[in-house]
Amino acid sequence: MSYAMAYGMEVYNIAIKEGVNLTVGGLSNMTNAVFLDALKEAVYMGLFVILFSNLWGNRIGSAIASKHCNPEQDNPYICQLLRQAGTIAVMCPTMSLVASVLFNIIFANAPLSQLPAIWIGTTLKNFPMAFFWNMFAAAPFTHWLFGKVFQNKQEIK
């Protein structure tokens, strides 16, 4: 899941950085170079996602969901969606901070005093994509893939 999220978000951010969204036709004008560049960045950004989701993202996301849903009484699918939403609410600002520090402060030499504004802007830009990418692409794909790879031997026909 971490790499699915990292890759999708890198595709989105690289396309924006390259101005693809500003061209006539918008994001439909992406080139293969966007996907290749995103793959390169996702290698190390995925490591940050794994680290921070294991340290606090998944735990806090689960705690948020447990305040609103009980899997023993409520629909387990709804509980799963609430857990995903809680995790996104924690991980998007976390990874936006990582990206702001890496790409704006370290690589682009922006003044450290601008970090709060850069971080807020990055979070505002990334949150809608993170939410919809997780809910409708990364999570369903990851659940499907792991279901196929790790299916019960009795289910294999």
Side-chain angles (χ1 to χ4, degrees):
M1 176 72 78
S2 296
Y3 275 98
M5 282 303 297
Y7 183 68
M9 294 306 296
E10 289 304 322
V11 167
Y12 175 69
N13 281 295
I14 288 172
I16 288 174
K17 181 177 71 176
E18 293 182 2
V20 174
N21 59 317
L22 302 175
T23 61
V24 175
L27 293 174
S28 298
N29 291 324
M30 283 199 296
T31 64
N32 292 335
V34 171
F35 294 98
L36 181 59
D37 290 345
L39 191 59
K40 292 174 187 174
E41 283 188 12
V43 169
Y44 60 89
M45 290 302 283
L47 294 174
F48 284 117
V49 176
I50 289 170
L51 175 67
F52 296 127
S53 64
N54 283 318
L55 287 175
W56 61 73
N58 294 335
R59 292 180 185 143
I60 297 172
S62 182
I64 291 169
S66 69
K67 290 182 180 185
H68 303 285
C69 192
N70 180 349
E72 295 173 7
Q73 296 173 342
D74 300 320
N75 183 324
Y77 182 68
I78 300 300
C79 294
Q80 175 186 334
L81 292 178
L82 286 172
R83 185 173 187 270
Q84 285 174 233
T87 303
I88 295 163
V90 173
M91 288 303 296
C92 183
T94 298
M95 291 309 298
S96 292
L97 179 60
V98 170
S100 296
V101 170
L102 278 176
F103 299 117
N104 294 94
I105 305 300
I106 295 174
F107 296 153
N109 298 316
L112 187 60
S113 63
Q114 293 300 311
L115 181 59
I118 294 167
W119 179 33
I120 290 169
T122 303
T123 301
L124 290 172
K125 175 187 69 171
N126 285 335
F127 190 83
M129 178 61 177
F131 180 82
F132 287 105
W133 178 249
N134 184 285
M135 290 293 188
F136 299 108
F141 172 74
T142 304
H143 293 146
W144 172 83
L145 181 64
F146 275 73
K148 293 294 183 190
V149 172
F150 299 108
Q151 62 182 307
N152 189 335
K153 291 180 182 181
Q154 294 175 352
E155 295 176 10
I156 299 175
K157 296 178 181 178

